[in-house]
Amino acid sequence: QVQLVESGGGLVQPGGSLRLSCAVHGSIFSIYAMGWHRQAPGKQRELVAAITSGGYTNYADSVKGRFTISRDNAKNTVYLQMNSLKPEDTAVYYCNTQKGTWAWGQGTQVTVSS
């Protein structure tokens, strides 16, 4: 069974930065396209960034130019560097495959507020 462990969230002021990490346990991580998803209060979960097994990336328009997804296949870990954060980025952030194949982890809360 795959276990996803997200970390790195917190409270940050607008314009600040955070780096999220996600450790993936129990799967052949390297073959999957991975994604960072987020769910804001009262909204559906959305995919904000994805990275293929070969390292190609794609972003939602709302985060393009501010967020960077990366992966370390040797460590079974995917990262999300978030810069120039805005209040509308406030959400619980989850990692999973790009399609959300696995059971969701607990996520990590990101709050952007002054």
Side-chain angles (χ1 to χ4, degrees):
Q1 184 173 349
V2 177
Q3 184 182 16
L4 304 169
V5 181
E6 299 95 344
S7 62
L11 172 64
V12 63
Q13 292 186 342
S17 298
L18 284 173
R19 188 190 193 211
L20 307 184
S21 299
C22 174
V24 180
H25 304 280
S27 177
I28 306 173
F29 170 81
S30 62
I31 67 173
Y32 290 95
M34 294 297 297
W36 279 98
H37 310 249
R38 70 185 180 188
Q39 187 167 21
K43 295 187 177 181
Q44 289 191 336
R45 188 176 286 149
E46 62 171 343
L47 176 68
V48 296
I51 184 167
T52 68
S53 58
Y56 291 98
T57 59
N58 194 28
Y59 301 91
D61 288 343
S62 59
V63 307
K64 199 171 294 183
R66 301 187 297 120
F67 290 11
T68 302
I69 188 172
S70 60
R71 66 192 296 163
D72 186 334
N73 289 338
K75 295 182 178 180
N76 274 27
T77 301
V78 60
Y79 305 96
L80 186 67
Q81 177 67 44
M82 306 186 296
N83 299 328
S84 302
L85 282 161
K86 304 175 180 180
E88 51 263 43
D89 295 318
T90 295
V92 180
Y93 284 72
Y94 303 87
C95 74
N96 207 311
T97 65
Q98 182 175 354
K99 297 181 179 180
T101 306
W102 300 320
W104 296 93
Q106 292 187 336
T108 186
Q109 175 70 49
V110 172
T111 302
V112 185
S113 175
S114 55

